[in-house]
């Protein structure tokens, strides 16, 4: 941390996990009405297939069961695949990250990266039941567990 960040009013240490990244991304998938509608399309399709099968008063075939299961679990499965692929190379998941909050910026320093985001670039801050999420434009840039902030 630089002197300006360490002199800031708050500093935290946090080791993000793949589980944290998964929960954050899955929460983002259902955040807005448009995203909710788009992510509901596959489960609705799965329910429609199930409805058609049941309306014919027969047991679903193995292929129909597979399609129904994939449709109902599409968004969580896709999110898990994204986390599995990007999580291996994501610098924030390689160890503990130190966050420093000053009047000018948020600084995060990890084992293999250093990042500074001026408050002018933070478009919004959102608190969920688990995380405090800092956005740059429409995308989450940083996140901290709420429990760390509440303990400070």
């Amino acid at each position: 941390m630089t002197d300006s960040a360490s002199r800031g009013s708050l500093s935290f240490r946090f080791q993000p996990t793949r589980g944290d990244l998964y929960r954050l991304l899955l929460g983002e998938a259902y955040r807005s009405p448009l995203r909710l509608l788009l992510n509901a399309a596959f489960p609705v399709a799965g329910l429609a297939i199930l409805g058609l099968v049941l309306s014919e008063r027969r047991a679903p075939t193995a292929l129909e069961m597979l399609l129904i299961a994939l449709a109902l679990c599409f968004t969580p499965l896709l999110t898990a695949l994204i986390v599995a692929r990007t999580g291996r190379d994501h610098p924030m998941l390689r160890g503990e990250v130190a966050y420093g909050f000053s009047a000018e910026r948020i600084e995060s320093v990890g084992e293999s990266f250093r990042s500074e985001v001026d408050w002018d670039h933070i478009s919004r801050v959102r608190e969920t039941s688990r995380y405090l999420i800092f956005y740059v434009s429409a995308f989450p840039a940083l996140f901290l567990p709420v429990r760390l902030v509440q303990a400070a």
Side-chain angles (χ1 to χ4, degrees), residues 12-21 23 91-99 111 131 143-145 147-148:
F12 302 98
R13 292 191 171 281
F14 165 53
Q15 184 164 352
T17 65
R18 285 185 179 175
D20 290 318
L21 188 57
R23 283 186 289 277
M92 288 186 81
L93 299 179
R94 290 189 184 151
E96 190 172 72
V97 179
Y99 294 91
E111 193 174 293
Y131 303 107
F143 67 98
L144 281 171
R147 63 179 160 70
L148 287 179

Side-chain angles (χ1 to χ4, degrees), residues 79-124:
T79 303
L81 286 172
I82 290 169
V83 169
R85 293 222 9 122
T86 62
R88 288 188 305 243
D89 302 325
H90 201 290
M92 288 186 81
L93 299 179
R94 290 189 184 151
E96 190 172 72
V97 179
Y99 294 91
F101 292 79
S102 69
E104 298 84 29
R105 69 186 57 86
I106 303 171
E107 182 178 2
S108 55
V109 178
E111 193 174 293
S112 61
F113 75 95
R114 181 176 179 281
S115 172
E116 292 182 359
V117 180
D118 289 341
W119 284 108
D120 293 344
H121 294 109
I122 300 291
S123 59
R124 112 184 134 105

Side-chain angles (χ1 to χ4, degrees), residues 7 16-17 19 31 34 55 69 84 94 103 106 116 129 136 147:
R7 284 194 313 258
T17 65
R31 182 174 55 88
L34 178 60
S55 71
R94 290 189 184 151
I106 303 171
E116 292 182 359
S129 61
V136 172
R147 63 179 160 70

Side-chain angles (χ1 to χ4, degrees), residues 34-100:
L34 178 60
R35 288 181 184 174
L36 182 61
L37 182 65
L38 292 173
N39 285 307
F42 284 96
V44 168
L47 291 174
I49 294 168
L50 181 61
L52 288 171
V53 167
L54 293 176
S55 71
E56 295 175 359
R57 299 190 194 293
R58 64 175 176 84
T61 65
L63 178 61
E64 289 167 337
M65 288 296 287
L66 178 65
L67 288 174
I68 291 167
L70 287 175
L72 292 174
C73 299
F74 180 76
T75 300
L77 285 174
L78 183 62
T79 303
L81 286 172
I82 290 169
V83 169
R85 293 222 9 122
T86 62
R88 288 188 305 243
D89 302 325
H90 201 290
M92 288 186 81
L93 299 179
R94 290 189 184 151
E96 190 172 72
V97 179
Y99 294 91

